Amino acid sequence: MSRFFTAGDSSSESSSSDEEELYSEEEAEQKSEEESSEEEGSDEEGSSSLDEEGGRTGINKFLRDVQSSEESSEDEQPTVVKSAKDKRIEELESVVKLIENAVKINDWSSISTEFDKLNRQVVKIAAQEKAPKVYIKTIADLEDFMNEAIAKQKVSTKKMNATNAKGLNAMKQKIKRNNKDYMAEIEKYREDKGEYMMSDEEEEVTPPPRVKKSRPVYVDGIEGADDEGFSTVGKGGRTLQYTAESIFKHLRSIIESRGKKNTDRAEQIRVMEKLLEVATTPYQRIRTLLTLISTRFDLTSGSAGTFMPQDHWKLAENEFATLLETLEENRNMVVLENAEEWEDDEKPPQPSPGETLRIPGSVVSIVERLDDELTRSLQHIDPHTAEYIERLSDEQALYNNIVRALLYIEELKNDPKLETPQESANRIVMRRVEHVYFKPSQVVTILEETAWKSIPAKLDSKITPRGKSRDTAELVQILCTYLFENSADIIRGRAYLCQVYFCALHDQYFRARDMLLMSHLQETIGNFDISTQILFNRTLVQVGLCAFRAGLVYESQNTLQEICGSGRQKELLAQGVLIQRYSQVSAEQERLERQRQLPFHMHINLELLECVYLTCSMLLEIPLLAQTGSSPDIKKRVISKTYRRLLEFHERQIFTGPPENTRDHVMQASRSLAAGEWKRAVELINSIKIWDLMAQSDKIKVMLSQQIQEEGLRTYLFTYAPFYDTLAVSTLASMFELSEQKVAAVISKMISHEELAAALDQVNSAIIFRKGVELSRLQSLALTLSDKASGLIEANERTLEQRTQGMANAFERQGGQGGRGGRGGRGGRGGTRGDRGGARTRGGQQFGGGALGGAIKA
C-alpha cells in the first residue's frame, strides 16, 4: 500500500465511534473502567481537534474537490461534544415530556410504558450520584395525578376502557413500590416545589468502595448443598441461600413473574417448597402456602385440553389443609379477598394485641379450583378403568376441606369488623350441595361422618351442626334453605333444582313435582347459564323416573317427553357430545361443549331412560290407536311422535326376529298388546334386563304387569265394542286375570270420560253397549273427503287474504247472495250439517272443523 494512504485516517470518526461504544457498554463496566474510557475519549477528542486545525494529511492533502468545498461550511460551525451524563439527562427529559403529554390525555397505558423507560434511565444516572430533580418532580406529580384519577373513577358513572384501567392498576403498584425509595426527596419537593427546583446544589454522594468480585468457588459443607456436594446456584454464579429473612423477597419475585412467558413454574414450586421448610412464623407459612397453591394451579391454567396431575392435586389439597390448620391455630390472622397487600418485604407486619392481621387471598377460590380440577380430571379419565375409581376416591378428601373451609368462613362472618361478604359463604355452601344432591342417602351419610371425623372436635358449624349431618334429607333441606334465604338469581335457582333432584331420587314424587311447579323455573330457565340449564334437564328427567317408579305412567311420559322426544338426550344432559355429519359447530364451541360434560359417576343411564319412556308411551299409545281405529269420528292425536315413528318402522319390516335390545322388546310387546296378547306383552317387558338397575326391580315388574293388564282391557274394549251388545264383567275378569271390582272400576272410568259408549249394569254385572249410527265404509270415506275439502277451501281463502293484503273484503257480497261470502249462498253448503258447519259471514275467518283445517289453523 502507498505511504500516502497509510498516513490518512479520520480520527474524528474513530473518536465518535469509541464514544458510542462507551455509552452502550457503560452499564456492564466498573467505575474505574468508565473513568479510564472517559479519559481516553477526551484525549481522542483533543487529537481530533488538532487534526482539524492542522489540516489534512496523507492523500486527503492532495484531494481537493467539490466535496471538500461543501464540507468547509460545516467545519466553520463549532462542534459541541456532550458528556455521557448530559446525554442521559436529555434522554430523561424527553421521556418526562412524553409522560406529561400522556397525562394530558389521561392515557395510562402510555404512562405505564414510559414510566418503565424512565426508571431504566434513572438507574444509569443514580449509580454514580443522586437521582435528578426532574425525576423526583415527575414521580411525585404522577402519584398525585394517580390518586386524583382513582378518586374520580370511584364517583364517576362512566368507566374506563379495559386497556386504560389495566394501565392505571399497573401504575398503582409500580408507583407504590418505586416511590418508597425516594420518600425523603419527594417530601422536600412537596414542601416547597419552587425552592426545590431552583436550588441546583446537589450533594455528591461518595460511592462505596467496590469489592472486586471473585469467581464462585465451591466450598464443602455449605448450607443448602445436597448429599452429592452440589448446591443451588442462581444468576451470577452465586449460591442461593434460603433463609427466613429472604422469604418475602423470593415470594415477591415469583408473584411478579406470574403470567410471563418462559417462566419455569416447576422451578418456582421447588423454591417455594424450600421456603416453606425454612419458614418460622405463621405469617411466613400462610403467605408461602397461598403463593404455592396458586402456582400449582398455574401449571395447567394455560392448557384447556389437560388436567392437573393427581400428585400435584394431592399436594395442593394437603397444603390447603395445612393452611386451614394454621389459620385455625392463629386466630389473629385471617385471609380475606378484600385485604390490602403488604408492600414492605423487609419488615413483616407486627399486629398489636387484640388486632387482626388481614392477609390477601381467597379460601373459597382455592376450594372451587380444587373441585374444578378434580372434575376436569374425571372428565378425561376412562371411566371403565381402575384409575377412575382411584381418582374418585379423592372426593372424600375434597369434601372434608369443603366442610372445614365452610367452618372457617362462618367464623369470619361472626366478626362484623372483617366485613366478610355473604357471597363467599353462598359459594362454598353451593359446592357442598353439589357434592351431595345426586348421591343416595347411604353414600351421603358415609361422606358426612368421615368429614366430621377429620375435623377437630372443638370446631362446629352453626348452619349444619354435627348431630344433624346423619339425616341426609334434613341436611339437604338446611343447606338449600340457607341458600334460599341468603342468595339470589343463579345460586338460588341451582339450590332449588338440587333439592328437587334429591327428593325425586328418594321417591318423593309429589313433593318434588310441587316444588318444581311452584318455582316457575320452567318459564325462566332460558335466561340462566348453560350449566344451570343442564341441571334443570337432569332434574326434569329424575322427576319423570320418580313418577314411573310410583306407577304414574301418564305423568312420567308427560315429564320425559320434552327431553326424550327431542332425540338429543346426550347433549341435553351433558353426557356426550352429539357430532352431526353436516353440523357447523366451530372448534371453540366443541371445546366448550366438552368442558361442560359431567363425570361418568353423575350420569343418568340413557338406556334405562329410553326404556322407561318407550314403555310409558306404549301404555298410552296402544289404547289410543285402538280407540281412533274403531271410531273414525274421533280426532286423531299423537302422544309421542318418537314412539309412533319407531312403531311404524317396526311394522314395515317383513321379517322380525327375536328381540335383541330394549327397543325391540318394547316394539314387539306393543304389537302383542294391540293384538290382545297381554301375557306375551308382560313376558317381553319383564324380560328386559335394564330393570335390574332400578331399586326394587321386582316391584317395578309387578307394577308393569298390572299396568299392561289394565291397558290390555282398555284396548280390547276399544277394539271389539262395536261387535258386542252386552258383555259380562266376569268374562273380562277371567280374560285379563283381574278382579271384577278392578274391571268395573276401569269400565266406569272409561264411561265417565266418554271414551266408551256403554252403560254398566251393576245388578247383572254386565256392560250394555249403546249402538249409535253406524257408518259404512263408504260413508266414512265420504265424511273424510268432505273434511279435507273444507280444509282445502279454508286454506285457499286464507292464502288469498294474505296475498291481497287486507283487501279480502272486496270479495264479500251483501245478503249472502252469490259469491263466496259465508258459503251459505252456494246451494246451502254453509247450512247445518250435524252441527259441522254453522252459519258464516266472512270467508276464512271462523272455520272450526276438519283435521287438516285444524293443522293449518294451528
Side-chain angles (χ1 to χ4, degrees), residues 22-62:
L22 169 64
Y23 297 150
S24 62
E25 297 176 357
E26 191 172 352
E27 290 183 16
E29 295 177 352
Q30 304 296 330
K31 184 178 178 183
S32 60
E33 295 175 358
E34 292 172 0
E35 292 174 353
S36 62
S37 63
E38 289 178 12
E39 292 175 1
E40 291 172 2
S42 62
D43 294 341
E44 289 175 358
E45 290 167 5
S47 63
S48 64
S49 63
L50 290 174
D51 289 341
E52 290 176 0
E53 294 173 359
R56 300 184 177 228
T57 59
I59 191 172
N60 296 330
K61 188 175 183 179
F62 302 99

Side-chain angles (χ1 to χ4, degrees), residues 713-853:
L713 172 61
R714 285 163 48 81
T715 305
Y716 182 83
L717 290 175
F718 284 137
T719 305
Y720 298 106
F723 306 99
Y724 283 101
D725 290 329
T726 59
L727 182 60
V729 174
S730 58
T731 304
L732 292 174
S734 60
M735 286 176 62
F736 294 95
E737 297 182 2
L738 293 170
S739 63
E740 293 187 6
Q741 292 82 1
K742 187 66 176 177
V743 173
V746 172
I747 294 172
S748 300
K749 188 176 181 180
M750 292 173 67
I751 294 173
S752 66
H753 290 172
E754 297 183 358
E755 296 175 342
L756 188 64
L760 184 60
D761 186 358
Q762 296 182 351
V763 177
N764 299 320
S765 185
I767 307 171
I768 302 173
F769 295 93
R770 292 196 301 267
K771 298 293 182 180
V773 179
E774 295 184 7
L775 301 177
S776 63
R777 180 66 174 168
L778 179 60
Q779 290 172 334
S780 299
L781 291 175
L783 192 61
T784 304
L785 178 62
S786 175
D787 286 340
K788 290 184 178 180
S790 300
L792 184 60
I793 292 172
E794 186 66 26
N796 288 339
E797 291 181 353
R798 294 175 64 180
T799 304
L800 181 62
E801 187 175 357
Q802 292 175 0
R803 292 285 181 88
T804 55
Q805 297 181 355
M807 298 297 293
N809 294 333
F811 297 95
E812 290 189 4
R813 298 182 182 179
Q814 297 295 330
Q817 297 178 0
R820 301 174 66 177
R823 299 209 304 250
R826 303 186 63 183
R829 286 184 56 187
T832 58
R833 187 187 62 195
D835 295 334
R836 297 180 60 86
R840 302 188 182 179
T841 58
R842 294 192 180 186
Q845 296 298 324
Q846 297 184 10
F847 173 69
L852 182 59

